[in-house]
Amino acid sequence: MREVRFQLRNLRPMPVELQELAGSKPYLAQLLWQRGWTELPPEAELSSPLDLPQLETGARLVWQAIETGQPILVYGDYDVDGVTATAVLYRALHALGAKVEYHVPDRFEEGYGLNKERLEQAAAAGIQLVLTCDCGVSNEEEVRRARELGLKVVITDHHLPPERLPAAEAVINPHLLAQPAHPAAWLSGVGVAYYLVRQLYQLAGRAGQERELEQLVALGLVADVVPLLGDNRTLVKRGLQLLQSDQVYPGLGLLLARYRQEEIDEELIAFQLAPRLNAAGRLDHARLAVELLIGRDETRLDEIARRLELLNRQRKAIGDEMGQEAEELLRLRGWQPGEPILLWQPHWHHGVLGIVAGRLCEKYRVPVLLAGLKEDGETLTGSARAPAGYHCREALQQAEVHLQKYGGHAEAAGFSLPRLNWEAFTTTLKSVLMQQQQNLPTTTTLLYDLPFNLTELSPELAREWQELKPFGPGNPPPVFLLEGVEIVSTQVLAQRHLKLTIRQQGIGQTLNWWLAAERAEQIVPGTRGDLLVQPVWQKESTQLICLDFLARTLPGPQPALNLVIEDWRNWREEGRQLPLWQESWYYQWGEGYTPPVRAETLVLLKPPPSERQLREMLALTGARRLVLAFGRADLGRADDFLQNLLALLKHNLALLPPFLGRINLEEAAARLGETVETVFLGLQVLQARHFLQILEVEEEELILQKGPGKGPGDRKLEAGLLAALQESTAFRRFLLEKELDRIKLYLH
């Protein structure tokens, strides 16, 4: 295991020119300096399209084809960058009066880039100009064949060009810019396509009318994980504004409908929209995604949106199953931490290999190569992912004697090879990757922007750091270091995530740590250490997401609990009048979800379901007085739990597909007076009885679908739920029946 340490991103002192800004916006000034900036990036106009070499030549050729009625084929790619680039060019050319068709290749039949057979078909069909997007710069042979067929070729691409460019009429690529730091240097495929469109609209005398296409450009830029610097930053900001306006395209509007209550930002694109658009190319055909982005027929668009939702759920289910199989294979084969992971299975889906490899790479911080068997039964095709410090493509290059095909870059690559070569290939690859590992530092350094204290968490802080949005490569989200925190409690969410309740200088806070359920056994209550967190603005408040934790001291003797407990149990039954306490927060379940706030007094109108939840409330409120103000009638009945859960779900499951029902585990637990684990168990029991189906687990929310009912059930799940309900009932009775001294001693 490599040592992990936290380090300030920029160790140099802040310069004088930022001191004035620090007077009114100290956090913003610090965040700017950590990025090497001395002022906010200006809201600049985009650079001229003509700055891109050969763009003027390419634009004039395309414009000539439009004016003379020459049929044009837009040739794209199957990922989100390629799909949005295809949609941008098709929409623009169609609006300018061109005779235009588009083609996006089949991932499994054609693969990436230009295809000779498809070019021959285009020539036979009368196409005269091929306009590529997000591909073509490495297709020297295919472009030569197109020229032999009498086709003109204009390439728009952003991938690294080879030493010898294809013999196209024009090759438009930001890598050909003379200035490496030009504002357009970081454009993705859709960005390059859009710059060509800008010039076409200029030639048509309609400059500015192309701006509505920037909603598609923002999608592709964010999805392709290019640096959000220079023109990219401007394009994403403008595109996000369009996605929230009445100018949003109908198909995108359908995908966004389920997020009406949320801010449409770069994170929503990256984690919600992009996976749905990508699912088409991974499991079906990318033309579905293109059709959604260019179509107008509401019935057809609704059909496609439903299809993409279904494909995305299938993609997640396939990925989860493959991930579980990979983990089991590692266990059976005695894999040791630090070793590269190289696995294949005949049934693993080629369209999901990269996603699963990425998850394993992130979890174990080692290179991961996964492969599946093609239909010919003889060829393996796979994806590679690697953490910083390794180089996938160079490793594959040193093993190319075993390969049929490979390509990619440092952190991600693809490859194919004969099945019989796998053993020799993995032997070579392991050796190469272990050599690369020898050159890695023995310590993994995680960077943060500034040390932080929970007392500083405020709306003012959120407003300052949000001025830096949109976040992405080149402008990462702010990362804060919380030093000297105490772990109050941990809780596993949906068997995947970890919820932490922490305390720092008397201030309590809850935060989630995504995909970290396995860390629950290592991070026990009472442990003290440092937390690396990322702030996220949600529902008018700032939430903290945990990135990593470094323990400094293990749990030891706890200090005496400075807590006064007052006994108002059974006050209703005894006819007593409950007093009002100043600066108090009242806990009761069944009345909606309201997070705890700082208060001198915590009043329990109903008993909580677990010791952990009581400790969480004490930490979050910072209460010095605990009032027990409940009676026997407030215990609730375990027998009613499933019925109450079904009643809670009734409204959620009444929503129409493709968006189905959603349930937030935290809010459901607060409404039902049970733990998150118990609610999740209850949902699993109802699924086994076929009352519902759990389609997706999105962080702390579940996507559900109503079932037919009358299922056989699952005895193990039923027994687990019964045990959980009995445990919560026992804790409630303890709080109701035991002497105050016993309760206080227990809480120590």
Side-chain angles (χ1 to χ4, degrees), residues 130-147:
V130 174
L131 176 57
T132 80
C133 51
D134 197 32
C135 68
V137 76
S138 298
N139 291 121
E140 182 182 4
E141 292 184 14
E142 289 80 5
V143 171
R144 185 185 303 115
R145 178 58 180 153
R147 298 293 296 275

Side-chain angles (χ1 to χ4, degrees), residues 267 271-272 493-494 496-497 512 514 538 665 697-702:
E267 285 204 4
F271 297 110
Q272 303 299 338
L493 300 177
R496 302 175 67 184
H497 313 300
N512 291 329
W514 306 129
Q538 290 182 346
L665 290 174
V697 180
E698 291 186 348
E699 298 177 349
E700 74 269 35
E701 287 195 331
L702 304 183

Side-chain angles (χ1 to χ4, degrees), residues 130-202:
V130 174
L131 176 57
T132 80
C133 51
D134 197 32
C135 68
V137 76
S138 298
N139 291 121
E140 182 182 4
E141 292 184 14
E142 289 80 5
V143 171
R144 185 185 303 115
R145 178 58 180 153
R147 298 293 296 275
E148 291 171 356
L149 295 166
L151 296 170
K152 297 177 183 177
V153 180
V154 173
I155 293 173
T156 71
D157 199 353
H158 75 117
H159 294 98
L160 191 65
E163 291 185 8
R164 186 171 65 182
L165 294 175
E169 272 69 17
V171 177
I172 307 167
N173 189 307
H175 286 287
L176 302 178
L177 284 162
Q179 305 170 20
H182 189 281
W186 301 282
L187 291 173
S188 71
V190 69
V192 181
Y194 180 62
Y195 274 49
L196 176 65
V197 165
R198 289 175 62 204
Q199 185 61 20
L200 291 175
Y201 272 70
Q202 182 72 36

Side-chain angles (χ1 to χ4, degrees), residues 405-455:
K405 186 178 180 181
Y406 69 95
H409 49 85
E411 295 183 358
F415 60 92
S416 62
L417 72 160
R419 176 180 179 177
L420 296 177
N421 289 5
W422 177 257
E423 293 300 326
F425 167 69
T426 55
T427 299
T428 302
L429 246 291
K430 284 181 180 179
S431 175
V432 171
L433 292 171
M434 293 303 288
Q435 287 176 11
Q436 290 187 2
Q437 189 181 87
Q438 299 304 313
N439 298 323
L440 295 178
T442 57
T443 300
T444 299
T445 301
L446 303 180
L447 302 177
Y448 64 92
D449 290 287
L450 65 154
F452 190 67
N453 193 298
L454 288 178
T455 59

Side-chain angles (χ1 to χ4, degrees), residues 302-315:
D302 185 67
E303 178 185 327
I304 295 173
R306 292 169 186 264
R307 176 66 177 160
L308 292 183
E309 285 289 333
L310 177 61
L311 290 172
N312 191 50
R313 292 198 297 272
Q314 290 176 348
R315 187 265 307 167

